[in-house]
Amino acid sequence: MSRLLACAVLVAGLMVEKPHADEMPNLKDQKVISAGHDLFLGKQCAHCHGEDGKGGVNLARRDLDPEGVFIAIADGRQKNGLRMPAWREVLTDEEIWQATAYVLSINQSNR
C-alpha cells in the first residue's frame, strides 16, 4: 500500500465521528424501538433490508453492536459493491439511535 493511500485510510478512519455513550437512549425501550421502526419504513430502509430486516442486505442474522450500527447509519458504509448512504445530514443523533434500537430489536443474535 502506498504511503498516500495509507494516510488517506488513516485520515478517513479518524473522520468517523463516534457516538457518545451519554447520548445513547435505552435501546430496549419500546417507544424508542417503535420510533426507529417508523423511521426504518419512512426512509425506505425496507427497500434494501426488507420490512423485517431479512431482505437482500440481511440485518436479522448479523452480529451487531449498538455503536457499530449507529456509525453505519450515520456515516453509511460500502461492502462488496453495495453502498448504504450516510444519514448524518438527514437524521438527528436521536433519530439515528432510534433506528439503531429498531435494527437491534430485529437482530436475532441480540435476543
Side-chain angles (χ1 to χ4, degrees), residues 65-106:
D65 69 279
E67 185 176 292
V69 173
F70 180 98
I71 290 171
I73 295 169
D75 298 326
R77 63 180 297 186
Q78 186 166 345
K79 186 174 183 180
N80 299 329
L82 298 174
R83 186 178 87 66
M84 183 176 124
W87 290 93
R88 189 176 297 282
E89 301 299 319
V90 178
L91 302 175
T92 66
D93 280 359
E94 179 182 16
E95 290 171 321
I96 296 171
W97 279 122
Q98 292 167 348
T100 298
Y102 175 67
V103 168
L104 293 173
S105 78
I106 61 174

Side-chain angles (χ1 to χ4, degrees), residues 6-81:
C7 289
V9 169
L10 178 62
V11 169
L14 294 175
M15 290 174 56
V16 173
E17 190 175 322
K18 296 203 178 212
H20 301 287
D22 59 339
E23 296 173 358
M24 185 188 312
N26 177 356
L27 299 177
K28 295 188 185 240
D29 181 327
Q30 288 304 311
K31 290 179 184 177
V32 176
I33 293 169
S34 179
H37 180 249
D38 292 344
L39 283 166
F40 187 86
L41 296 176
K43 298 298 181 185
Q44 308 301 316
C45 303
H47 179 74
C48 291
H49 297 292
E51 287 188 37
D52 60 359
K54 297 178 184 174
V57 182
N58 191 327
L59 296 171
R61 296 196 177 204
R62 292 184 175 185
D63 187 21
L64 303 175
D65 69 279
E67 185 176 292
V69 173
F70 180 98
I71 290 171
I73 295 169
D75 298 326
R77 63 180 297 186
Q78 186 166 345
K79 186 174 183 180
N80 299 329

